[in-house]
Amino acid sequence: MHTPQDIRFFLGSNAPTGFYSLYDRLVDPYTDEVLHIIKGGPGCGKSSFLKTVASGLKEAGLTVEQISCSADPDSLDAIYIPALGTAYVDGTAPHVIEPNYMAVLEQYLNLGELYDCDALRPFKSQVMDMTHTYKALYARAYDCIAAAHSVVREISSHVVDETVIAAVRKRTRGIIAREIGKKRPGGTPKITRRFLSALTHKGHVAHWDTVDALAGRVYHLDNHFGLAHTMLTDLLEAATAAGHDCTVCPSPMNPERLEHLFILPLDLAFVSSDYQIQYEGPAYRHIRLDAMANSERMRHQKTRIRFSKKVFALLINEAVRMLGEAKDVYDETEQLMNPHIDFDGVYDLAEYHLQELLERL
C-alpha cells in the first residue's frame, strides 16, 4: 500500500469533443472553505508554486490530492487539501475558472504580476504566432481523437446487445449483494468526479498509484467493449443508496461513461482496462466482462474488429504526435518567457501560503 498522500487525478481530458473539464468539481462550495484561483500565462510559475506548497504540506503529514495537467502530466494544475477544505487551481485556459462566491469561497492569486511586461513586449508577435500554432495542433489532435472514438463505438456495436447488458447487470447484482448490501437511510452521500487517466503527449497515462492509496481491495474489469459503464453505474447507484461516499472516474475518451469507481468507506475500487491502457496492479477479483459479449457475432466480425483495432491505434498515435508537437511549442513559449519572470517571487509567495496553511492546523 502507498501512503494516503499518494493521490493523483486529472480534472481535464483531451476528449473527442475537445477539452473536457471537471475543474469546477474540484471543491464542494458548501463544505470547503477556500478556493484560490491562480491566474497567469505560460511559464509564470503556476506549477512550481503548486508543487512547492504540496511538497511542504506532505512533509507536514497532510494528505494532498494533486491534479495533473493533461497537456503535461509532469506538471500540476491544482492541489486539494481535504483536512483544510482548501484548494489551489490554475484557472487559465483551457480550464478557465471564475468565482461564483467571491471572497466567501474563491480568492484570486495573480502570478501574472511577476512578469516583466516591458521586457516581454518586443516578443508579442512571436508569442502570438506560437499561441496560434499551439491551438491549431490541438484542433488536429481532437479530430484524431474523435475519429478513434467512432471506431471504438463501432467495435462495441458489433458484439453488445440487450442480452449482453442483461448478463452484466445480473453479475452486478451478485456483487452488490456481496459487497454493498441493502439500502439504508442516512445522510446524503458525496459523489466526487475525477479522471484517473488522460490521453497526453506521452500517450495514455493513468495514476494507478491512486488505486493503491484509496482501496485495499480492487475488482479488475475487462472493458474492451465498454461494458464496465453498465456495471459501474449500477454499483454507484447501490453504493450511494446505501449511504457510501464514492469517487467516480469517467472515461477520458467518452466522459459521459464511467471507467472506474471508488467506494471509499468500503475500501473498495472497481478499475477497468481497455485498448488504451491496462491495469497491472494487484486485483482481489478479475471480472472478465468481455467474455459476456456476443460470441457468435464476435466470430462473424473477427476480421472487421481486428482491422478496427489497427485503425484505432493509428488514430491515437497521430493524436499523441500532435499533442507532442503542441507541447514542444508550449515549451518554446515558456523558455522565451522564463528569463523575464520573478521566480524568487513565485517561491516566496508559495512559502507564504504554505506557512499560512500550516498555521491553520
Side-chain angles (χ1 to χ4, degrees):
M1 289 285 288
H2 289 72
T3 70
Q5 300 176 55
D6 295 331
I7 300 174
R8 290 178 179 266
F9 288 106
F10 294 91
L11 282 175
S13 166
N14 295 312
T17 55
F19 184 78
Y20 190 97
S21 176
L22 293 175
Y23 281 79
D24 59 344
R25 306 290 188 92
L26 176 60
V27 301
D28 184 333
Y30 296 100
T31 59
D32 288 316
E33 295 184 19
V34 185
L35 173 62
H36 295 274
I37 301 174
I38 305 172
K39 295 293 185 178
C44 73
K46 299 187 295 292
S47 183
S48 297
F49 173 92
L50 292 167
K51 287 179 179 179
T52 301
V53 175
S55 177
L57 292 172
K58 289 173 67 176
E59 287 180 7
L62 272 73
T63 294
V64 181
E65 181 182 322
Q66 300 176 76
I67 302 300
S68 299
C69 173
S70 58
D72 178 8
D74 294 325
S75 180
L76 288 185
D77 270 351
I79 59 173
Y80 174 58
I81 310 100
L84 299 175
T86 298
Y88 293 78
V89 61
D90 177 353
T92 58
H95 36 79
V96 176
I97 301 291
E98 295 296 346
N100 289 313
Y101 310 103
M102 189 65 184
V104 296
L105 175 65
E106 298 99 347
Q107 299 176 17
Y108 278 128
L109 188 58
N110 183 14
L111 295 189
E113 294 178 344
L114 300 176
Y115 284 117
D116 184 343
C117 295
D118 290 336
L120 282 167
R121 196 163 288 114
F123 301 102
K124 178 181 177 181
S125 295
Q126 191 174 346
V127 170
M128 291 178 66
D129 287 344
M130 288 189 290
T131 301
H132 294 154
T133 300
Y134 178 83
K135 291 181 178 179
L137 288 166
Y138 259 88
R140 290 166 62 185
Y142 291 141
D143 286 342
C144 292
I145 294 169
H149 175 56
S150 296
V151 172
V152 169
R153 286 191 304 176
E154 183 185 18
I155 293 173
S156 297
S157 69
H158 293 318
V159 297
V160 176
D161 55 23
E162 292 182 2
T163 302
V164 174
I165 297 298
V168 172
R169 289 208 152 118
K170 181 178 179 180
R171 182 67 182 274
T172 307
R173 288 194 292 272
I175 297 173
I176 291 171
R178 182 170 61 251
E179 297 287 1
I180 299 174
K182 297 180 179 180
K183 299 180 181 180
R184 61 175 182 268
T188 302
K190 181 178 180 179
I191 299 177
T192 301
R193 298 182 71 83
R194 302 283 192 264
F195 289 109
L196 188 62
S197 63
L199 182 65
T200 77
H201 77 282
K202 292 186 173 183
H204 286 98
V205 174
H207 288 313
W208 297 129
D209 286 354
T210 297
V211 179
D212 294 340
L214 294 181
R217 291 182 301 137
V218 178
Y219 278 74
H220 180 197
L221 314 178
D222 290 337
N223 192 38
H224 294 87
F225 301 127
L227 295 172
H229 173 74
T230 298
M231 176 170 279
L232 296 176
T233 299
D234 289 355
L235 287 166
L236 175 63
E237 181 179 356
T240 53
H244 299 305
D245 292 342
C246 295
T247 296
V248 297
C249 301
S251 164
M253 284 287 289
N254 189 355
E256 303 305 319
R257 296 177 66 84
L258 301 187
E259 190 168 74
H260 315 290
L261 171 66
F262 296 90
I263 307 177
L264 303 179
L266 301 181
D267 198 26
L268 188 62
F270 295 84
V271 177
S272 68
S273 295
D274 55 25
Y275 298 125
Q276 303 165 66
I277 198 160
Q278 184 75 23
Y279 175 67
E280 296 179 350
Y284 170 68
R285 296 276 176 86
H286 186 181
I287 308 297
R288 291 174 171 79
L289 290 176
D290 295 345
M292 298 183 187
N294 191 307
S295 57
E296 183 177 351
R297 287 188 181 181
M298 287 183 67
R299 283 194 297 271
H300 286 119
Q301 299 289 340
K302 186 176 181 179
T303 301
R304 188 169 186 175
I305 291 173
R306 187 185 302 117
F307 174 75
S308 295
K309 289 179 181 179
K310 291 179 180 179
V311 173
F312 173 83
L314 289 170
L315 289 167
I316 289 298
N317 288 341
E318 181 64 11
V320 170
R321 189 175 73 84
M322 292 295 101
L323 294 174
E325 290 189 16
K327 173 65 166 54
D328 290 342
V329 173
Y330 192 85
D331 287 347
E332 290 178 18
T333 309
E334 287 194 323
Q335 289 166 13
L336 186 152
M337 292 190 162
N338 280 166
H340 308 292
I341 294 167
D342 178 10
F343 276 99
D344 287 340
V346 173
Y347 291 113
D348 287 346
L349 186 61
E351 185 63 28
Y352 171 81
H353 277 262
L354 174 60
Q355 294 306 316
E356 187 178 65
L357 291 167
L358 294 175
E359 289 173 4
R360 290 168 54 191
L361 294 176

PDB file of all heavy atoms in Angstrom, residues 192-220:
ATOM      1  N   THR A 192     -17.736  12.376  -5.783  1.00  0.00           N
ATOM      2  CA  THR A 192     -16.644  13.175  -6.317  1.00  0.00           C
ATOM      3  C   THR A 192     -16.308  12.664  -7.708  1.00  0.00           C
ATOM      4  O   THR A 192     -16.222  11.452  -7.928  1.00  0.00           O
ATOM      5  CB  THR A 192     -15.399  13.060  -5.414  1.00  0.00           C
ATOM      6  OG1 THR A 192     -15.740  13.502  -4.093  1.00  0.00           O
ATOM      7  CG2 THR A 192     -14.257  13.904  -5.953  1.00  0.00           C
ATOM      8  N   ARG A 193     -16.111  13.587  -8.656  1.00  0.00           N
ATOM      9  CA  ARG A 193     -15.803  13.205 -10.038  1.00  0.00           C
ATOM     10  C   ARG A 193     -14.364  13.608 -10.380  1.00  0.00           C
ATOM     11  O   ARG A 193     -13.982  14.768 -10.215  1.00  0.00           O
ATOM     12  CB  ARG A 193     -16.782  13.854 -11.017  1.00  0.00           C
ATOM     13  CG  ARG A 193     -18.228  13.423 -10.798  1.00  0.00           C
ATOM     14  CD  ARG A 193     -19.160  14.056 -11.814  1.00  0.00           C
ATOM     15  NE  ARG A 193     -18.978  13.503 -13.143  1.00  0.00           N
ATOM     16  CZ  ARG A 193     -19.546  12.377 -13.562  1.00  0.00           C
ATOM     17  NH1 ARG A 193     -20.329  11.680 -12.749  1.00  0.00           N
ATOM     18  NH2 ARG A 193     -19.341  11.941 -14.790  1.00  0.00           N
ATOM     19  N   ARG A 194     -13.598  12.636 -10.838  1.00  0.00           N
ATOM     20  CA  ARG A 194     -12.216  12.840 -11.237  1.00  0.00           C
ATOM     21  C   ARG A 194     -11.895  11.926 -12.417  1.00  0.00           C
ATOM     22  O   ARG A 194     -12.496  10.873 -12.586  1.00  0.00           O
ATOM     23  CB  ARG A 194     -11.244  12.492 -10.087  1.00  0.00           C
ATOM     24  CG  ARG A 194     -11.456  13.272  -8.782  1.00  0.00           C
ATOM     25  CD  ARG A 194     -10.912  14.664  -8.908  1.00  0.00           C
ATOM     26  NE  ARG A 194     -10.839  15.345  -7.621  1.00  0.00           N
ATOM     27  CZ  ARG A 194     -11.756  16.167  -7.150  1.00  0.00           C
ATOM     28  NH1 ARG A 194     -12.861  16.403  -7.852  1.00  0.00           N
ATOM     29  NH2 ARG A 194     -11.592  16.763  -5.980  1.00  0.00           N
ATOM     30  N   PHE A 195     -10.913  12.305 -13.221  1.00  0.00           N
ATOM     31  CA  PHE A 195     -10.342  11.396 -14.213  1.00  0.00           C
ATOM     32  C   PHE A 195      -9.141  10.694 -13.585  1.00  0.00           C
ATOM     33  O   PHE A 195      -8.277  11.344 -12.996  1.00  0.00           O
ATOM     34  CB  PHE A 195      -9.872  12.152 -15.457  1.00  0.00           C
ATOM     35  CG  PHE A 195     -10.970  12.707 -16.316  1.00  0.00           C
ATOM     36  CD1 PHE A 195     -11.198  14.076 -16.379  1.00  0.00           C
ATOM     37  CD2 PHE A 195     -11.779  11.863 -17.070  1.00  0.00           C
ATOM     38  CE1 PHE A 195     -12.193  14.600 -17.181  1.00  0.00           C
ATOM     39  CE2 PHE A 195     -12.784  12.380 -17.867  1.00  0.00           C
ATOM     40  CZ  PHE A 195     -13.007  13.743 -17.930  1.00  0.00           C
ATOM     41  N   LEU A 196      -9.090   9.374 -13.722  1.00  0.00           N
ATOM     42  CA  LEU A 196      -7.923   8.635 -13.251  1.00  0.00           C
ATOM     43  C   LEU A 196      -6.841   8.576 -14.330  1.00  0.00           C
ATOM     44  O   LEU A 196      -5.667   8.379 -14.036  1.00  0.00           O
ATOM     45  CB  LEU A 196      -8.322   7.213 -12.840  1.00  0.00           C
ATOM     46  CG  LEU A 196      -7.254   6.372 -12.141  1.00  0.00           C
ATOM     47  CD1 LEU A 196      -6.835   7.008 -10.820  1.00  0.00           C
ATOM     48  CD2 LEU A 196      -7.737   4.948 -11.920  1.00  0.00           C
ATOM     49  N   SER A 197      -7.244   8.766 -15.576  1.00  0.00           N
ATOM     50  CA  SER A 197      -6.292   8.702 -16.690  1.00  0.00           C
ATOM     51  C   SER A 197      -6.598   9.810 -17.687  1.00  0.00           C
ATOM     52  O   SER A 197      -7.651  10.444 -17.635  1.00  0.00           O
ATOM     53  CB  SER A 197      -6.361   7.338 -17.378  1.00  0.00           C
ATOM     54  OG  SER A 197      -7.645   7.126 -17.957  1.00  0.00           O
ATOM     55  N   ALA A 198      -5.648  10.004 -18.609  1.00  0.00           N
ATOM     56  CA  ALA A 198      -5.824  11.010 -19.656  1.00  0.00           C
ATOM     57  C   ALA A 198      -4.939  10.657 -20.837  1.00  0.00           C
ATOM     58  O   ALA A 198      -3.896  10.009 -20.682  1.00  0.00           O
ATOM     59  CB  ALA A 198      -5.472  12.401 -19.140  1.00  0.00           C
ATOM     60  N   LEU A 199      -5.361  11.084 -22.021  1.00  0.00           N
ATOM     61  CA  LEU A 199      -4.523  10.975 -23.209  1.00  0.00           C
ATOM     62  C   LEU A 199      -3.646  12.216 -23.269  1.00  0.00           C
ATOM     63  O   LEU A 199      -4.150  13.336 -23.349  1.00  0.00           O
ATOM     64  CB  LEU A 199      -5.377  10.860 -24.470  1.00  0.00           C
ATOM     65  CG  LEU A 199      -4.601  10.700 -25.783  1.00  0.00           C
ATOM     66  CD1 LEU A 199      -3.840   9.384 -25.788  1.00  0.00           C
ATOM     67  CD2 LEU A 199      -5.538  10.777 -26.981  1.00  0.00           C
ATOM     68  N   THR A 200      -2.330  12.022 -23.230  1.00  0.00           N
ATOM     69  CA  THR A 200      -1.380  13.117 -23.149  1.00  0.00           C
ATOM     70  C   THR A 200      -0.335  12.994 -24.259  1.00  0.00           C
ATOM     71  O   THR A 200      -0.367  12.060 -25.058  1.00  0.00           O
ATOM     72  CB  THR A 200      -0.650  13.101 -21.791  1.00  0.00           C
ATOM     73  OG1 THR A 200       0.350  12.071 -21.808  1.00  0.00           O
ATOM     74  CG2 THR A 200      -1.622  12.832 -20.648  1.00  0.00           C
ATOM     75  N   HIS A 201       0.625  13.914 -24.265  1.00  0.00           N
ATOM     76  CA  HIS A 201       1.709  13.829 -25.251  1.00  0.00           C
ATOM     77  C   HIS A 201       2.606  12.622 -24.991  1.00  0.00           C
ATOM     78  O   HIS A 201       3.407  12.245 -25.840  1.00  0.00           O
ATOM     79  CB  HIS A 201       2.534  15.119 -25.252  1.00  0.00           C
ATOM     80  CG  HIS A 201       3.485  15.238 -24.105  1.00  0.00           C
ATOM     81  ND1 HIS A 201       3.072  15.608 -22.834  1.00  0.00           N
ATOM     82  CD2 HIS A 201       4.819  15.032 -24.012  1.00  0.00           C
ATOM     83  CE1 HIS A 201       4.109  15.637 -22.033  1.00  0.00           C
ATOM     84  NE2 HIS A 201       5.184  15.288 -22.713  1.00  0.00           N
ATOM     85  N   LYS A 202       2.458  11.997 -23.823  1.00  0.00           N
ATOM     86  CA  LYS A 202       3.184  10.768 -23.503  1.00  0.00           C
ATOM     87  C   LYS A 202       2.357   9.522 -23.798  1.00  0.00           C
ATOM     88  O   LYS A 202       2.770   8.417 -23.444  1.00  0.00           O
ATOM     89  CB  LYS A 202       3.584  10.771 -22.021  1.00  0.00           C
ATOM     90  CG  LYS A 202       4.623  11.810 -21.656  1.00  0.00           C
ATOM     91  CD  LYS A 202       5.047  11.644 -20.211  1.00  0.00           C
ATOM     92  CE  LYS A 202       6.209  12.560 -19.870  1.00  0.00           C
ATOM     93  NZ  LYS A 202       6.680  12.349 -18.474  1.00  0.00           N
ATOM     94  N   GLY A 203       1.217   9.706 -24.419  1.00  0.00           N
ATOM     95  CA  GLY A 203       0.292   8.595 -24.618  1.00  0.00           C
ATOM     96  C   GLY A 203      -0.718   8.560 -23.488  1.00  0.00           C
ATOM     97  O   GLY A 203      -0.943   9.566 -22.796  1.00  0.00           O
ATOM     98  N   HIS A 204      -1.339   7.396 -23.295  1.00  0.00           N
ATOM     99  CA  HIS A 204      -2.296   7.273 -22.203  1.00  0.00           C
ATOM    100  C   HIS A 204      -1.554   7.137 -20.880  1.00  0.00           C
ATOM    101  O   HIS A 204      -0.698   6.264 -20.718  1.00  0.00           O
ATOM    102  CB  HIS A 204      -3.200   6.061 -22.415  1.00  0.00           C
ATOM    103  CG  HIS A 204      -4.225   6.279 -23.479  1.00  0.00           C
ATOM    104  ND1 HIS A 204      -4.071   5.838 -24.771  1.00  0.00           N
ATOM    105  CD2 HIS A 204      -5.428   6.911 -23.436  1.00  0.00           C
ATOM    106  CE1 HIS A 204      -5.125   6.175 -25.483  1.00  0.00           C
ATOM    107  NE2 HIS A 204      -5.956   6.839 -24.707  1.00  0.00           N
ATOM    108  N   VAL A 205      -1.886   7.995 -19.940  1.00  0.00           N
ATOM    109  CA  VAL A 205      -1.261   8.000 -18.622  1.00  0.00           C
ATOM    110  C   VAL A 205      -2.350   7.777 -17.578  1.00  0.00           C
ATOM    111  O   VAL A 205      -3.370   8.470 -17.583  1.00  0.00           O
ATOM    112  CB  VAL A 205      -0.540   9.335 -18.351  1.00  0.00           C
ATOM    113  CG1 VAL A 205      -0.016   9.380 -16.916  1.00  0.00           C
ATOM    114  CG2 VAL A 205       0.600   9.537 -19.343  1.00  0.00           C
ATOM    115  N   ALA A 206      -2.127   6.804 -16.710  1.00  0.00           N
ATOM    116  CA  ALA A 206      -3.083   6.519 -15.626  1.00  0.00           C
ATOM    117  C   ALA A 206      -2.353   6.571 -14.295  1.00  0.00           C
ATOM    118  O   ALA A 206      -1.221   6.087 -14.177  1.00  0.00           O
ATOM    119  CB  ALA A 206      -3.733   5.152 -15.816  1.00  0.00           C
ATOM    120  N   HIS A 207      -2.997   7.122 -13.299  1.00  0.00           N
ATOM    121  CA  HIS A 207      -2.412   7.218 -11.963  1.00  0.00           C
ATOM    122  C   HIS A 207      -2.816   5.992 -11.143  1.00  0.00           C
ATOM    123  O   HIS A 207      -3.634   6.068 -10.216  1.00  0.00           O
ATOM    124  CB  HIS A 207      -2.857   8.509 -11.278  1.00  0.00           C
ATOM    125  CG  HIS A 207      -2.236   9.739 -11.846  1.00  0.00           C
ATOM    126  ND1 HIS A 207      -0.880   9.847 -12.112  1.00  0.00           N
ATOM    127  CD2 HIS A 207      -2.773  10.942 -12.196  1.00  0.00           C
ATOM    128  CE1 HIS A 207      -0.607  11.044 -12.589  1.00  0.00           C
ATOM    129  NE2 HIS A 207      -1.733  11.724 -12.666  1.00  0.00           N
ATOM    130  N   TRP A 208      -2.217   4.857 -11.476  1.00  0.00           N
ATOM    131  CA  TRP A 208      -2.583   3.625 -10.775  1.00  0.00           C
ATOM    132  C   TRP A 208      -2.180   3.663  -9.300  1.00  0.00           C
ATOM    133  O   TRP A 208      -2.778   2.944  -8.485  1.00  0.00           O
ATOM    134  CB  TRP A 208      -1.936   2.427 -11.457  1.00  0.00           C
ATOM    135  CG  TRP A 208      -2.367   2.166 -12.869  1.00  0.00           C
ATOM    136  CD1 TRP A 208      -1.563   1.971 -13.946  1.00  0.00           C
ATOM    137  CD2 TRP A 208      -3.715   2.054 -13.372  1.00  0.00           C
ATOM    138  NE1 TRP A 208      -2.310   1.751 -15.080  1.00  0.00           N
ATOM    139  CE2 TRP A 208      -3.631   1.792 -14.758  1.00  0.00           C
ATOM    140  CE3 TRP A 208      -4.977   2.157 -12.782  1.00  0.00           C
ATOM    141  CZ2 TRP A 208      -4.760   1.629 -15.561  1.00  0.00           C
ATOM    142  CZ3 TRP A 208      -6.103   2.001 -13.581  1.00  0.00           C
ATOM    143  CH2 TRP A 208      -5.985   1.735 -14.950  1.00  0.00           C
ATOM    144  N   ASP A 209      -1.173   4.461  -8.917  1.00  0.00           N
ATOM    145  CA  ASP A 209      -0.806   4.564  -7.503  1.00  0.00           C
ATOM    146  C   ASP A 209      -1.981   5.039  -6.655  1.00  0.00           C
ATOM    147  O   ASP A 209      -2.087   4.703  -5.472  1.00  0.00           O
ATOM    148  CB  ASP A 209       0.374   5.525  -7.318  1.00  0.00           C
ATOM    149  CG  ASP A 209       1.697   4.924  -7.774  1.00  0.00           C
ATOM    150  OD1 ASP A 209       1.705   3.734  -8.126  1.00  0.00           O
ATOM    151  OD2 ASP A 209       2.706   5.648  -7.785  1.00  0.00           O
ATOM    152  N   THR A 210      -2.852   5.832  -7.272  1.00  0.00           N
ATOM    153  CA  THR A 210      -4.025   6.314  -6.542  1.00  0.00           C
ATOM    154  C   THR A 210      -4.938   5.163  -6.138  1.00  0.00           C
ATOM    155  O   THR A 210      -5.571   5.196  -5.076  1.00  0.00           O
ATOM    156  CB  THR A 210      -4.797   7.335  -7.410  1.00  0.00           C
ATOM    157  OG1 THR A 210      -3.945   8.460  -7.651  1.00  0.00           O
ATOM    158  CG2 THR A 210      -6.073   7.811  -6.739  1.00  0.00           C
ATOM    159  N   VAL A 211      -5.009   4.145  -6.972  1.00  0.00           N
ATOM    160  CA  VAL A 211      -5.823   2.968  -6.646  1.00  0.00           C
ATOM    161  C   VAL A 211      -5.292   2.322  -5.370  1.00  0.00           C
ATOM    162  O   VAL A 211      -6.060   1.993  -4.459  1.00  0.00           O
ATOM    163  CB  VAL A 211      -5.817   1.955  -7.811  1.00  0.00           C
ATOM    164  CG1 VAL A 211      -6.640   0.717  -7.447  1.00  0.00           C
ATOM    165  CG2 VAL A 211      -6.363   2.600  -9.084  1.00  0.00           C
ATOM    166  N   ASP A 212      -3.972   2.140  -5.288  1.00  0.00           N
ATOM    167  CA  ASP A 212      -3.374   1.559  -4.088  1.00  0.00           C
ATOM    168  C   ASP A 212      -3.622   2.425  -2.858  1.00  0.00           C
ATOM    169  O   ASP A 212      -3.810   1.922  -1.745  1.00  0.00           O
ATOM    170  CB  ASP A 212      -1.863   1.387  -4.277  1.00  0.00           C
ATOM    171  CG  ASP A 212      -1.523   0.370  -5.352  1.00  0.00           C
ATOM    172  OD1 ASP A 212      -2.393  -0.456  -5.687  1.00  0.00           O
ATOM    173  OD2 ASP A 212      -0.384   0.398  -5.851  1.00  0.00           O
ATOM    174  N   ALA A 213      -3.616   3.747  -3.056  1.00  0.00           N
ATOM    175  CA  ALA A 213      -3.777   4.667  -1.930  1.00  0.00           C
ATOM    176  C   ALA A 213      -5.195   4.662  -1.379  1.00  0.00           C
ATOM    177  O   ALA A 213      -5.403   4.859  -0.179  1.00  0.00           O
ATOM    178  CB  ALA A 213      -3.386   6.082  -2.356  1.00  0.00           C
ATOM    179  N   LEU A 214      -6.185   4.456  -2.246  1.00  0.00           N
ATOM    180  CA  LEU A 214      -7.576   4.620  -1.838  1.00  0.00           C
ATOM    181  C   LEU A 214      -8.325   3.312  -1.567  1.00  0.00           C
ATOM    182  O   LEU A 214      -9.403   3.342  -0.977  1.00  0.00           O
ATOM    183  CB  LEU A 214      -8.347   5.405  -2.911  1.00  0.00           C
ATOM    184  CG  LEU A 214      -7.927   6.866  -3.114  1.00  0.00           C
ATOM    185  CD1 LEU A 214      -8.798   7.505  -4.191  1.00  0.00           C
ATOM    186  CD2 LEU A 214      -8.032   7.651  -1.815  1.00  0.00           C
ATOM    187  N   ALA A 215      -7.783   2.187  -2.015  1.00  0.00           N
ATOM    188  CA  ALA A 215      -8.552   0.938  -1.894  1.00  0.00           C
ATOM    189  C   ALA A 215      -7.659  -0.238  -1.531  1.00  0.00           C
ATOM    190  O   ALA A 215      -6.600  -0.436  -2.132  1.00  0.00           O
ATOM    191  CB  ALA A 215      -9.279   0.645  -3.202  1.00  0.00           C
ATOM    192  N   GLY A 216      -8.116  -1.009  -0.559  1.00  0.00           N
ATOM    193  CA  GLY A 216      -7.414  -2.233  -0.178  1.00  0.00           C
ATOM    194  C   GLY A 216      -7.795  -3.413  -1.047  1.00  0.00           C
ATOM    195  O   GLY A 216      -7.027  -4.366  -1.200  1.00  0.00           O
ATOM    196  N   ARG A 217      -9.013  -3.354  -1.615  1.00  0.00           N
ATOM    197  CA  ARG A 217      -9.482  -4.436  -2.498  1.00  0.00           C
ATOM    198  C   ARG A 217      -9.881  -3.839  -3.840  1.00  0.00           C
ATOM    199  O   ARG A 217     -10.580  -2.822  -3.893  1.00  0.00           O
ATOM    200  CB  ARG A 217     -10.664  -5.176  -1.879  1.00  0.00           C
ATOM    201  CG  ARG A 217     -10.285  -6.011  -0.653  1.00  0.00           C
ATOM    202  CD  ARG A 217     -11.483  -6.760  -0.111  1.00  0.00           C
ATOM    203  NE  ARG A 217     -12.552  -5.844   0.255  1.00  0.00           N
ATOM    204  CZ  ARG A 217     -13.841  -6.045  -0.018  1.00  0.00           C
ATOM    205  NH1 ARG A 217     -14.225  -7.119  -0.685  1.00  0.00           N
ATOM    206  NH2 ARG A 217     -14.738  -5.169   0.379  1.00  0.00           N
ATOM    207  N   VAL A 218      -9.442  -4.488  -4.910  1.00  0.00           N
ATOM    208  CA  VAL A 218      -9.674  -3.976  -6.256  1.00  0.00           C
ATOM    209  C   VAL A 218     -10.315  -5.054  -7.123  1.00  0.00           C
ATOM    210  O   VAL A 218      -9.791  -6.161  -7.238  1.00  0.00           O
ATOM    211  CB  VAL A 218      -8.354  -3.525  -6.913  1.00  0.00           C
ATOM    212  CG1 VAL A 218      -8.607  -3.035  -8.333  1.00  0.00           C
ATOM    213  CG2 VAL A 218      -7.672  -2.444  -6.079  1.00  0.00           C
ATOM    214  N   TYR A 219     -11.450  -4.714  -7.709  1.00  0.00           N
ATOM    215  CA  TYR A 219     -12.053  -5.523  -8.761  1.00  0.00           C
ATOM    216  C   TYR A 219     -11.514  -5.004 -10.094  1.00  0.00           C
ATOM    217  O   TYR A 219     -11.682  -3.827 -10.414  1.00  0.00           O
ATOM    218  CB  TYR A 219     -13.583  -5.396  -8.749  1.00  0.00           C
ATOM    219  CG  TYR A 219     -14.300  -6.261  -7.753  1.00  0.00           C
ATOM    220  CD1 TYR A 219     -14.279  -5.970  -6.397  1.00  0.00           C
ATOM    221  CD2 TYR A 219     -15.039  -7.370  -8.173  1.00  0.00           C
ATOM    222  CE1 TYR A 219     -14.955  -6.747  -5.474  1.00  0.00           C
ATOM    223  CE2 TYR A 219     -15.729  -8.163  -7.263  1.00  0.00           C
ATOM    224  CZ  TYR A 219     -15.676  -7.849  -5.918  1.00  0.00           C
ATOM    225  OH  TYR A 219     -16.361  -8.633  -5.002  1.00  0.00           O
ATOM    226  N   HIS A 220     -10.907  -5.880 -10.857  1.00  0.00           N
ATOM    227  CA  HIS A 220     -10.365  -5.503 -12.167  1.00  0.00           C
ATOM    228  C   HIS A 220     -11.351  -5.948 -13.245  1.00  0.00           C
ATOM    229  O   HIS A 220     -11.678  -7.136 -13.362  1.00  0.00           O
ATOM    230  CB  HIS A 220      -9.003  -6.180 -12.375  1.00  0.00           C
ATOM    231  CG  HIS A 220      -8.365  -5.847 -13.683  1.00  0.00           C
ATOM    232  ND1 HIS A 220      -7.334  -6.583 -14.218  1.00  0.00           N
ATOM    233  CD2 HIS A 220      -8.610  -4.857 -14.591  1.00  0.00           C
ATOM    234  CE1 HIS A 220      -6.967  -6.078 -15.370  1.00  0.00           C
ATOM    235  NE2 HIS A 220      -7.732  -5.030 -15.617  1.00  0.00           N
TER     236      HIS A 220
END
